[in-house]
Amino acid sequence: MGNAGSHTHRGLGGYGCLQEGRGPGEGRGRTDRRHHPYSSSPIGVGRGCRGALSEEDGKESGAPLPLRHGARGIVGSGNRERLYRTEAIILRRRDFGEADKLLTLYAPGLGKTRVLAKGVRKPKSRKSGHVELFTHSNLLIAKGRSLDIVTQAETIHSFLPIRSELLRISYAYYAAELLDRFTEEGEENRPLFDLLLDTLFRLGDSEDPDLVLRYFELRLLGYVGYRPQLFQCVRCARAIEMATGFFSPKDGGLLCLGCGEGERGCQETSPRALATLRCVQVRDYAYCRRLKVDRPTHEELENLMRRYITYLLEGRLKSVGFIDALRREDGGVTTAVLTRR
Ligand SMILES: [Zn+2]
């Protein structure tokens, strides 16, 4: 995260009166697809634990470990207290050892955490399909001495509509990478988990995946303390009406014409882009999804958000290069997909 923690406007979360439909409660009520089958999960305690422990070195039996903070469903007693169950979204995977994968998860009660999925690179692994990138899974995890180990995995949502289109995959990859880069391990943030889960659904079915990403970015930045100031000049505090301004990544928001003219590193914002950005920042998704955003405005907004995020992270996200390469390659097709309404 580089110097992000010392960034001067950390905690600009306080434009209270403008924040309609934000926060932890946002988006509740669309539970139709959000079935979290803990109680009916076929991952049974008895079946689960024995198989689980046999996969690990099994040398830590003895005194029960303290319950892990925030973990869901600590299972059983005795040895079984070394197991916990959680739902999680797989943010990142990398090869580990001969046949394993090191997974970076985002879980509602745990925040970001890294766990080992043993043997998932073997062709016959039963777990591998349940720990794919962006999969929302129900996991049974055993505590290990250095890394915790996934002992059972069961897909809750695989987000097939995303996986059927390369551009949507790249957007999901971007969302996962962005969340990964803006979070520290072990910091619980339920709204952020919900946001990512919602975003994956939206990326699968929205006709405007760019708008889904802008919404995701602005919410995420708000949750982690980098909410950009879009309503008044960050230097002189003058209210900026529906006109042009200059977005300054290093100031974390807009500069008025007087303060921003000729300022280095600023991007002039068109009235249309600014209006869209403000709307996405303060309105809920049910409202924002009805916005009609034309291509030039989308390009302007993407450029603006990329510059801001690149500044905060002190570097570009890998997925940005992937998205750009994809667009170049399939040119007109991608544009058609993006503008299909
Ligand atoms: Zn000003």
Side-chain angles (χ1 to χ4, degrees):
M1 257 311 291
N3 72 345
S6 60
H7 201 260
T8 48
H9 68 282
R10 178 155 192 130
L12 272 180
Y15 303 100
C17 59
L18 297 167
Q19 298 176 13
E20 182 183 318
R22 282 179 67 252
E26 191 223 327
R28 295 269 184 266
R30 36 92 187 93
T31 53
D32 48 322
R33 295 173 303 185
R34 302 276 300 278
H35 173 57
H36 298 171
Y38 301 118
S39 53
S40 61
S41 165
I43 296 182
V45 169
R47 183 164 68 90
C49 297
R50 302 198 186 280
L53 294 177
S54 66
E55 275 195 41
E56 223 203 328
D57 54 25
K59 289 172 191 158
E60 287 178 88
S61 55
L65 293 169
L67 298 189
R68 182 163 179 149
H69 171 70
R72 280 173 187 274
I74 298 290
V75 183
S77 60
N79 273 350
R80 292 174 187 179
E81 288 184 14
R82 299 173 56 216
L83 291 168
Y84 57 96
R85 191 192 303 275
T86 183
E87 63 177 308
I89 296 167
I90 319 297
L91 293 182
R92 191 148 56 97
R93 295 154 40 105
R94 72 174 169 85
D95 289 351
F96 192 89
E98 295 268 304
D100 309 339
K101 286 261 186 205
L102 185 63
L103 308 178
T104 303
L105 311 174
Y106 204 76
L110 301 167
K112 187 167 78 175
T113 187
R114 287 190 304 165
V115 297
L116 200 57
K118 286 194 166 185
V120 292
R121 279 152 62 211
K122 290 179 185 161
K124 284 184 178 172
S125 168
R126 273 180 298 172
K127 283 196 292 279
S128 63
H130 302 288
V131 293
E132 294 286 346
L133 211 51
F134 332 126
T135 303
H136 177 211
S137 289
N138 194 357
L139 305 174
L140 190 64
I141 301 174
K143 287 175 173 297
R145 270 169 303 182
S146 52
L147 279 168
D148 291 357
I149 295 170
V150 177
T151 63
Q152 288 188 24
E154 182 198 23
T155 301
I156 303 171
H157 297 109
S158 57
F159 303 109
L160 285 176
I162 291 178
R163 294 174 203 281
S164 63
E165 202 180 295
L166 214 47
L167 191 75
R168 288 179 198 263
I169 294 174
S170 70
Y171 280 25
Y173 177 36
Y174 174 87
E177 189 184 9
L178 194 67
L179 189 142
D180 184 19
R181 292 291 302 275
F182 273 102
T183 52
E184 299 292 336
E185 282 189 40
E187 287 178 5
E188 182 185 348
N189 191 329
R190 177 80 208 206
L192 211 44
F193 175 84
D194 288 340
L195 175 68
L196 181 62
L197 190 57
D198 288 342
T199 300
L200 291 172
F201 280 119
R202 291 165 189 164
L203 283 177
D205 60 23
S206 171
E207 291 181 353
D208 191 349
D210 287 82
L211 187 63
V212 173
L213 276 195
R214 300 294 87 78
Y215 187 89
F216 175 74
E217 290 166 339
L218 283 169
R219 287 299 176 288
L220 179 140
L221 291 172
Y223 289 148
V224 299
Y226 295 101
R227 179 185 166 88
Q229 168 57 273
L230 301 174
F231 292 86
Q232 60 183 54
C233 175
V234 287
R235 294 252 174 96
C236 71
R238 186 176 301 149
I240 296 172
E241 303 301 331
M242 285 296 174
T244 55
F246 293 89
F247 188 83
S248 168
K250 70 177 162 66
D251 292 291
L254 285 179
L255 298 176
C256 68
L257 292 176
C259 294
E261 193 83 64
E263 189 74 18
R264 280 169 63 98
C266 286
Q267 178 179 332
E268 190 168 359
T269 54
S270 70
R272 200 164 200 174
L274 184 52
T276 307
L277 210 55
R278 285 171 167 174
C279 182
V280 172
Q281 188 180 59
V282 302
R283 295 287 196 154
D284 65 12
Y285 184 74
Y287 184 94
C288 293
R289 69 195 297 252
R290 300 196 304 266
L291 292 173
K292 303 287 180 212
V293 184
D294 59 23
R295 242 10 258 164
T297 305
H298 259 319
E299 281 164 15
E300 183 181 343
L301 291 175
E302 182 183 74
N303 190 27
L304 185 151
M305 293 307 296
R306 280 184 179 185
R307 288 174 70 166
Y308 184 40
I309 287 164
T310 301
Y311 173 80
L312 292 174
L313 295 175
E314 296 182 315
R316 259 193 161 193
L317 296 173
K318 275 191 279 181
S319 50
V320 166
F322 183 36
I323 290 170
D324 288 348
L326 210 56
R327 285 187 188 149
R328 276 196 304 273
E329 258 174 47
D330 93 354
V333 179
T334 303
T335 309
V337 168
L338 288 171
T339 54
R340 189 178 62 204
R341 314 211 66 109

